Amino acid sequence: MQSKRRSKRVLSALLAVAMSLSVGIMAFASGADQNVPEEQNPVTVDEEKSGKGEDGYFDIYLTINDTDAASVEAAFSDALMNLVGEYEGSVMSGDVFRAHVHVTNGSTHTYAYDSFTVGLPNMAEVFPDYPLTDFVAVDGQRIPLNCIAAICVADPAIYDGIFGVERSSNVTLEMLFNVYDYLAEKGYTGENAMSQCVLDYYNNKFGTNFASWAEMQLDAEVWNKYINSTANFGRNSQYKVSKEVLDALVAEHPELDPFVYVTKSSGNQLEVQLKYPDAELAALSFDVLYRDLMSVVYGDDVKTLDPIRGTVFSRSHGVGDYLADTALAAKTDAYFAGLENADALAPGETLSFDTAVGFDGPGMGNMYQLYDMSYYNSVTLARVDTSYQVVHEYYTSTDGGEYVLDGSVAEDPVAGLVGDVINVADLEKLPEYNGATYEYRGEDGNIQLVLDPASNQITLQYFRSVTTPVDPPEEVPPTGDNSSLALCAVLMAVAGGAALLISRKRRED
């Protein structure tokens, strides 16, 4: 969508000139495929209606388009960050961006809340124009160069622990390119020399003996002290240099060439960063950002989120804190499930909720200046409208034989929702069929509706028994010629008449 690309370009341009010595300034990019045609995307953002309200919240309007999909995913993180770029122009440490999100069902089906997702997209897909490093984040993905922090010269473990200078402003670009020489002088060699040196520095500072960064993270108190220590006031990680000087440094230290990051160029003058060339520190800069420094909250927590004075809370609501099966994830799931219309978002209805994104104030150091970030946040809704159909079947047993289906009657489908319970005992019974009466012998019980209507057929069976009637025996007529019998009858009648006349004559005489 063109407006999204435009917002990102404006945001990046402003970030390039809005530099600070004490805070990190970051840029966001969309985590979605911007080239998906709307007819293939069941949920779209109403960009004309979305904006910033008088209460300081962003208003994000999404629409479920006409679709038959079994589930739809309403992603709102891209819309929020696009609005931040449009209205704010920059993202700085300590910022909080709050939003009202409205998801309207514009389809002909009913949907219900199913799950939520907050996490990281595939950074290689979000930032295809940047080279992938060999460094791997905690979620297993390779990290693009633009998603690795610059070597934080304001970190005392860098300017003091490695270079042995009193302040960060004394660290030059030439010194950074010679960092492995400085490390070797202190006895640190190998691929993770910088990481081990920095870890030893903080073990000495905190009086601890952690064998790894992962071990330090298990101690919440020490871990938070470490995060705050990296964000000291001091020199930022941007260096202005001519192209010739940079080329000479790269020629002298070709192993660092993959980590040179040019943030701005003007003629022969460049502004560059040197990204962490150490695998552990590079991955750590990525993981710390999303685990601790970038917070996401919902509901009532939106009002109270304070990533400057309330870091105990904000750092426990980082993007990474939602990735595992945690109490926070369960709490958030319950929040969405309890929203109005969450159980059945009928056509024309809206599901509304609040969310906010915050960026740590005391812990977001200058190593994240001009740093590209992205995250993904969505709610998934499952289609729940379905139907059930009652079918009546009629069987007859003749003379004690097996029951044979006489026929069936299918009623019109009845609308319902997935999970609805149909009590068979409450269904109307139809014992009359083709002029005969049957007996209902089905089993009563409950049937729970599922999404597939074909699986929601309820069959009611009726039975009757009949006996074949036995006809009475037929009379057997006499044998012979029927005409002779008729003649005999006539002669007998005549003879009878004559006898009657003779008898009468005799009485008269």
Side-chain angles (χ1 to χ4, degrees), residues 31-284:
D33 187 349
Q34 300 175 0
N35 297 315
V36 176
E38 183 168 324
E39 59 269 18
Q40 298 180 20
N41 191 352
V43 181
T44 52
V45 179
D46 187 335
E47 296 184 349
E48 292 185 2
K49 193 174 181 181
S50 300
K52 191 171 185 179
E54 294 180 356
D55 60 355
Y57 283 60
F58 293 105
D59 290 301
I60 300 172
Y61 293 89
L62 300 99
T63 301
I64 301 175
N65 299 311
D66 193 14
T67 178
D68 292 326
S71 66
V72 294
E73 189 172 14
F76 49 89
S77 48
D78 291 343
L80 175 56
M81 289 301 102
N82 286 333
L83 290 173
V84 170
E86 179 180 351
Y87 286 88
E88 305 299 331
S90 63
V91 179
M92 303 179 70
S93 57
D95 280 348
V96 177
F97 304 107
R98 299 176 172 88
H100 304 300
V101 182
H102 311 278
V103 183
T104 299
N105 186 1
S107 75
T108 58
H109 295 284
T110 299
Y111 286 85
Y113 168 74
D114 180 71
S115 61
F116 79 97
T117 299
V118 56
L120 301 178
N122 186 320
M123 295 298 185
E125 294 180 358
V126 177
F127 302 107
D129 297 332
Y130 294 90
L132 273 179
T133 69
D134 292 330
F135 304 148
V136 179
V138 69
D139 65 347
Q141 65 172 300
R142 290 171 61 189
I143 310 173
L145 181 64
N146 58 316
C147 295
I148 293 174
I151 297 177
C152 186
V153 294
D155 182 350
I158 302 296
Y159 70 77
D160 179 24
I162 295 179
F163 296 111
V165 296
E166 295 183 355
R167 55 183 63 88
S168 60
S169 59
N170 293 335
V171 180
T172 66
L173 184 60
E174 290 77 12
M175 292 169 65
L176 287 180
F177 269 88
N178 285 278
V179 62
Y180 285 105
D181 292 335
Y182 281 90
L183 289 167
E185 290 176 3
K186 294 180 176 294
Y188 295 98
T189 59
E191 293 182 353
N192 294 320
M194 185 184 300
S195 173
Q196 190 59 53
C197 181
V198 174
L199 180 62
D200 287 347
Y201 179 90
Y202 280 108
N203 271 326
N204 182 63
K205 181 177 181 178
F206 299 146
T208 56
N209 190 32
F210 298 116
S212 66
W213 292 105
E215 188 177 326
M216 182 188 289
Q217 291 180 39
L218 297 177
D219 189 321
E221 182 179 356
V222 174
W223 183 247
N224 282 311
K225 288 168 61 177
Y226 161 71
I227 291 176
N228 293 341
S229 295
T230 64
N232 286 338
F233 286 85
R235 179 186 174 86
N236 61 42
S237 298
Q238 290 282 108
Y239 287 88
K240 294 182 179 180
V241 63
S242 68
K243 185 178 183 304
E244 290 78 11
V245 170
L246 180 61
D247 288 344
L249 291 172
V250 170
E252 186 178 354
H253 300 279
E255 72 279 5
L256 294 179
D257 185 30
F259 307 102
V260 176
Y261 187 72
V262 178
T263 61
K264 185 181 179 182
S265 61
S266 178
N268 194 45
Q269 295 298 308
L270 308 175
E271 292 185 14
V272 301
Q273 295 175 339
L274 188 61
K275 300 287 190 176
Y276 275 112
D278 182 283
E280 289 189 4
L281 290 179
L284 192 66

